[in-house]
Amino acid sequence: MLETDLKFGEVYELANQIETDTEKVRVKNIFSNNNGGTTLVAFKAGQKLDTHTAPAEVMVTVLEGEIEFTMIDMVHSVKAGQFLLMGENVPHSVYAKSDSKVMLTKVKA
């Protein structure tokens, strides 16, 4: 079953779907089902997500700003307009070098 708060057939500004928060990293589901989905994450500069894993293959796309994405002890600097791919259950962490908005596209095998 598909989960979303948005309407099919409508046009949306992607980066406007989420705002940064000085208190915490913000996360918003765009849509999801048992096979994966798309999620937005917003960071204020200096915010981070500690090392964790994802039960899906992920495309990490930076919409605004710049992040440091550490995967398997390798640090990648990813800027607006760039993306990287990550395999399922790979340990990773994120640090926002500037105010940033990131789109995660998750696909479960």
Side-chain angles (χ1 to χ4, degrees):
M1 181 166 160
L2 187 68
E3 293 181 30
T4 185
D5 293 333
L6 303 174
K7 294 181 181 180
F8 281 78
E10 296 289 325
V11 176
Y12 298 94
E13 290 287 334
L14 186 58
N16 291 343
Q17 296 302 306
I18 192 168
E19 295 300 325
T20 58
D21 183 332
T22 57
E23 301 297 315
K24 63 180 181 174
V25 174
R26 304 235 3 238
V27 178
K28 180 179 180 181
N29 179 56
I30 296 299
F31 70 90
S32 63
N33 64 19
N34 292 336
N35 297 316
T38 299
T39 303
L40 297 179
V41 185
F43 301 86
K44 289 296 275 181
Q47 290 179 330
K48 64 181 181 173
L49 292 175
D50 291 328
T51 302
H52 62 285
T53 60
E57 293 174 331
V58 181
M59 178 176 172
V60 179
T61 306
V62 177
L63 304 173
E64 295 180 358
E66 181 177 1
I67 62 170
E68 282 184 353
F69 192 93
T70 303
M71 178 173 54
I72 314 174
D73 298 325
M74 188 170 196
V75 179
H76 303 274
S77 181
V78 190
K79 299 177 184 177
Q82 297 179 323
F83 72 92
L84 63 81
L85 301 176
M86 180 184 70
E88 181 177 2
N89 294 318
V90 172
H92 61 282
S93 62
V94 182
Y95 172 78
K97 295 177 77 172
S98 63
D99 290 0
S100 302
K101 293 180 182 179
V102 178
M103 179 175 65
L104 307 175
T105 305
K106 301 167 280 186
V107 177
K108 295 181 182 179

